[in-house]
């Protein structure tokens, strides 16, 4: 598969495709814009036009003039001084997504890097020779792209074909020479919002998958707990204006159509507990947040996020040295998405608690096969409660953290990249919570005292999961089952919910092979991969 950056910017789905391994190419139009922007920089240097980071220092050193003879050193030294990331490195998908977003930014034609610099990033992507990028150490941007750019000049480290090596050795094996950076290129390679934008694109894809699973898993719990289908009545839901709510209501009606278990429970209660009857409201609200976040990310990809921006003509070059590298809007969006997903997962844990609690479930205590000698899912619910608490901490807004850097010159910080990393951490925790609920719901079907048919959709899903994960009898570590369920949630889209659903016809589901965990960059981090920066 190939993605082309043309006169149109990439959108978040394009970035995700490149992150997953698609080739990224530049159209002739995009290459022309990059070359034209470089010509503007050359004119700015030749005429001695004052331009931040071109012929001045950076940050609080913005008023220090740098001579033409020193501009190569300035660009090179920016990479060295800004490569200050710490902690375990990001996974392959995260690194590829950031690189794709950076190339997209340069292709707007307002950064001023040479086409050779962009081609070097493209070559690393094509070879899947990925720079080692520490996950932490950014208050907004800078450090992540600095570690990527190090490899372009023969420094830093990469992971290639399972081997860690120096950037210099990687270039040698690829038959490439280290680049010698020219005016402004060092600054353009580290600033802007490609880091948060690439990570945000991945968060969108993973959140989309998680919310699809949340509907499916909650439907199984709802059916086991004998919920009242009136909660999903289209006429009732129409009183609240929300595209997400309407979508979830329709999905729940389709997934549960034809359920004998729910037919047997009609009129049992006046209304269900909130963790059951607000599924459309909470899941729908999260879908509305997801849609709003996607709009923000696409706007970010359509924007030039560089400082300075160059424009105009070679005869009259213009320099805009303002604040387009600050990602306030995308930081706020990532904080909002993290909170929405944390709420979905918190409600999933409440349904799980109802499934294991015999006082409200009507099922054997803790879904155990034998009372007393077996604990069943008792402690798995503890794990889910712990992850909900962790999500609550992770969902605190990064965009309000503030701080002061660079000698008071940068005295307002939005923490956009940390906001995206937190959203990815919430996604991983939430996938684990939903995985535990999924296992519990399938176990509840096995122990269901009501002798009635399940809905065709949930019947088919139950059978497919039981072909992979046998009934739990305290006969093996439950953590192994939980890991498998996590991979189902995090790596695979759920079986499509048919609408309308033919009576008693089973939906198209996975094969057993398709249920096996997919290779992911960081869901189950290998050695040094960052927990929380999960690949889809």
């Amino acid at each position: 598969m190939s993605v082309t950056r043309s006169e149109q910017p990439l959108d978040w789905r394009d970035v995700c495709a490149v992150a997953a391994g698609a080739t990224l190419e530049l159209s002739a139009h995009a290459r022309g814009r990059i070359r034209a922007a470089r010509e503007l920089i050359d004119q700015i240097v030749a005429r001695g036009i004052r331009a931040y980071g071109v012929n001045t220092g950076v940050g609080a050193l913005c008023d220090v003039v740098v001579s033409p003879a020193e501009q190569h050193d300035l660009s090179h030294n920016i990479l060295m001084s800004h490569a200050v990331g710490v902690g375990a490195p990001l996974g392959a998908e995260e690194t590829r997504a950031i690189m794709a977003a950076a190339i997209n930014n340069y292709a707007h034609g307002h950064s001023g890097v040479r086409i050779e610099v962009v081609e070097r990033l493209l070559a690393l992507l094509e070879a899947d020779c990925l720079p080692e990028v520490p996950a932490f150490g950014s208050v907004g941007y800078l450090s992540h792209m600095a570690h990527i750019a190090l490899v372009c000049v023969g420094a830093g480290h990469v992971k290639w074909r399972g081997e860690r090596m120096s950037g210099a050795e990687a270039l040698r094996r690829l038959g490439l020479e280290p680049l010698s950076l020219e005016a402004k290129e060092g600054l353009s390679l580290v600033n802007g919002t490609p880091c948060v934008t690439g990570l945000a694109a991945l968060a969108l894809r993973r959140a989309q998958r998680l919310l699809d699973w949340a509907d499916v898993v909650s439907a199984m719990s709802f059916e086991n707990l004998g919920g009242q289908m009136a909660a999903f009545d289209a006429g009732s839901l129409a009183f609240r204006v929300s595209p997400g709510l309407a979508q979830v209501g329709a999905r729940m009606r389709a997934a549960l159509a034809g359920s004998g278990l729910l037919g047997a429970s009609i009129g049992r209660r006046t209304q269900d507990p909130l963790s059951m009857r607000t599924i459309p409201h909470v899941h729908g609200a999260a879908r509305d947040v997801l849609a709003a976040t996607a709009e923000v990310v696409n706007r970010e990809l359509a924007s030039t996020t560089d400082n300075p921006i160059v424009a105009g003509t070679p005869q009259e070059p213009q320099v805009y040295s303002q604040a387009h590298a600050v990602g306030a809007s995308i930081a706020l969006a990532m904080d909002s998405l993290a909170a929405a997903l944390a709420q979905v997962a918190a409600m999933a844990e409440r349904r799980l608690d109802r499934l294991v609690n015999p006082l409200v479930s009507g099922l054997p205590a803790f879904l155990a096969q034998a009372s007393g000698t077996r604990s069943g899912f008792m402690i798995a619910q503890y794990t889910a409660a712990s992850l909900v608490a962790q999500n609550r901490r992770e969902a605190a807004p990064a965009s309000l953290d503030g701080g002061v850097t660079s000698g008071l010159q940068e005295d307002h910080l939005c923490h956009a990249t940390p906001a995206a990393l937190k959203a990815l951490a919430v996604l991983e925790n939430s996938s684990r919570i939903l995985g535990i609920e999924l296992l519990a719901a399938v176990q509840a079907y096995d122990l269901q005292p009501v002798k009635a048919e399940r809905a065709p959709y949930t019947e088919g899903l139950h059978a497919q999961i039981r072909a992979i994960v046998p009934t739990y009898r305290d006969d093996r570590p439950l953590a192994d089952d939980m890991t498998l369920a996590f991979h189902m949630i995090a790596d695979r889209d759920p079986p499509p919910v048919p609408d309308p659903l033919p009576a008693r016809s089973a939906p198209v589901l996975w094969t057993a092979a398709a249920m096996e965990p997919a290779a992911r960059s960081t869901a189950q981090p290998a050695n040094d991969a960052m927990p929380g920066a999960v690949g889809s």
Side-chain angles (χ1 to χ4, degrees):
M1 178 182 175
S2 178
V3 173
T4 300
R5 179 27 166 117
S6 61
E7 63 272 18
Q8 296 298 319
L10 302 182
D11 65 20
W12 71 264
R13 290 183 175 85
D14 294 327
V15 172
C16 288
V18 175
T23 300
L24 179 58
E25 299 177 351
L26 290 177
S27 70
H29 181 275
R31 289 176 178 273
R33 289 181 66 89
I34 293 170
R35 290 191 176 98
R38 184 62 209 179
E39 187 176 354
L40 296 177
I41 292 295
D42 291 340
Q43 289 297 317
I44 289 168
V45 171
R47 299 183 192 186
I49 299 170
R50 178 74 69 90
Y52 173 76
V54 179
N55 44 34
T56 76
V58 296
L61 303 175
C62 61
D63 293 323
V64 178
V65 175
V66 176
S67 71
E70 297 174 306
Q71 287 165 14
H72 159 76
D73 289 344
L74 172 62
S75 279
H76 184 84
N77 294 344
I78 283 174
L79 299 192
M80 302 302 147
S81 65
H82 286 52
V84 293
V86 297
L90 296 175
E93 282 195 332
E94 287 73 22
T95 303
R96 290 182 64 89
I98 293 169
M99 294 171 71
I103 292 166
N104 174 75
N105 190 44
Y106 303 142
H108 287 305
H110 296 291
S111 295
V113 298
R114 288 169 296 154
I115 189 66
E116 291 85 352
V117 173
V118 183
E119 287 174 339
R120 179 57 48 86
L121 294 172
L122 287 167
L124 293 174
L125 274 177
E126 184 175 4
D128 206 32
C129 181
L130 301 180
E132 187 174 276
V133 184
F136 303 111
S138 171
V139 295
Y141 47 98
L142 299 177
S143 66
H144 295 79
M145 275 303 300
H147 282 275
I148 290 171
L150 284 178
V151 178
C152 296
V153 300
H157 290 86
V158 304
K159 183 67 72 68
W160 190 30
R161 299 175 179 173
E163 182 182 354
R164 183 179 187 262
M165 66 187 73
S166 70
E169 175 62 15
L171 293 183
R172 187 189 68 79
R173 294 193 191 185
L174 290 170
L176 300 171
E177 292 293 327
L179 291 175
S180 178
L181 299 182
E182 298 184 3
K184 193 182 184 289
E185 290 180 333
L187 182 57
S188 289
L189 280 166
V190 303
N191 75 8
T193 63
C195 187
V196 59
T197 308
L199 296 176
L202 291 180
L204 286 171
R205 177 65 187 100
R206 295 170 193 175
Q208 186 180 63
R209 175 179 287 144
L210 180 81
L211 292 176
D212 285 349
W213 269 109
D215 295 345
V216 169
V217 174
S218 65
M220 299 176 82
S221 294
F222 188 92
E223 189 175 31
N224 271 300
L225 294 168
Q228 304 299 299
M229 278 294 288
F232 311 127
D233 178 76
S236 172
L237 295 179
F239 285 104
R240 177 173 284 277
V241 179
S242 161
L245 179 145
Q247 181 184 1
V248 174
R251 285 172 56 79
M252 297 299 288
R253 291 193 300 273
L256 293 170
S259 171
L261 284 171
L262 293 180
S265 70
I266 293 175
R268 185 185 300 173
R269 289 185 291 270
T270 302
Q271 59 178 212
D272 291 316
L274 284 172
S275 62
M276 296 169 64
R277 61 187 160 98
T278 62
I279 290 169
H281 303 75
V282 173
H283 293 194
R287 286 182 179 273
D288 290 342
V289 170
L290 180 68
T293 303
E295 183 178 347
V296 171
V297 175
N298 281 342
R299 286 204 306 263
E300 201 76 9
L301 287 165
S303 302
T304 300
T305 62
D306 209 331
N307 179 33
I309 287 171
V310 294
T313 66
Q315 294 73 36
E316 295 185 15
Q318 297 174 326
V319 181
Y320 298 92
S321 180
Q322 301 307 326
H324 290 316
V326 176
S329 61
I330 199 166
L332 291 167
M334 285 293 96
D335 280 341
S336 180
L337 183 64
L341 298 172
Q343 185 170 144
V344 169
M347 195 167 73
E349 185 276 328
R350 289 293 78 211
R351 290 190 302 269
L352 168 65
D353 184 65
R354 300 192 76 83
L355 286 171
V356 303
N357 187 342
L359 298 178
V360 294
S361 70
L363 296 161
F366 306 110
L367 303 176
Q369 288 286 326
S371 178
T373 61
R374 298 177 183 174
S375 298
F377 282 75
M378 177 194 292
I379 310 303
Q381 185 265 328
Y382 289 29
T383 300
S386 172
L387 292 172
V388 167
Q390 186 175 342
N391 271 354
R392 191 176 299 116
R393 295 187 289 269
E394 294 283 4
S399 53
L400 292 179
D401 284 347
V404 179
T405 58
S406 195
L408 296 180
Q409 177 70 6
E410 296 171 357
D411 57 355
H412 179 75
L413 306 174
C414 293
H415 295 269
T417 297
L421 290 171
K422 290 194 319 86
L424 291 170
V426 168
L427 274 160
E428 178 166 332
N429 291 337
S430 300
S431 296
R432 295 187 185 280
I433 293 164
L434 280 169
I436 298 170
E437 185 188 5
L438 174 64
L439 292 175
V442 172
Q443 183 89 349
Y445 282 136
D446 297 342
L447 301 171
Q448 183 60 244
V450 178
K451 303 304 178 185
E453 291 183 322
R454 294 184 278 269
Y457 181 86
T458 57
E459 171 71 30
L461 184 52
H462 170 269
Q464 288 290 316
I465 293 173
R466 274 291 171 254
I468 305 300
V469 184
T471 300
Y472 187 66
R473 295 184 170 84
D474 288 52
D475 53 345
R476 59 189 183 273
L478 188 50
D480 294 344
D481 292 5
M482 289 161 53
T483 297
L484 181 56
F486 164 69
H487 280 290
M488 293 178 193
I489 301 291
D491 296 337
R492 306 285 181 186
D493 292 330
V497 177
D499 190 14
L501 192 70
R504 301 310 303 168
S505 65
V508 177
L509 299 169
W510 307 289
T511 63
M515 292 279 284
E516 293 299 323
R520 315 179 76 228
S521 58
T522 53
Q524 280 255 298
N527 300 324
D528 56 355
M530 171 202 163
V534 271
S536 61

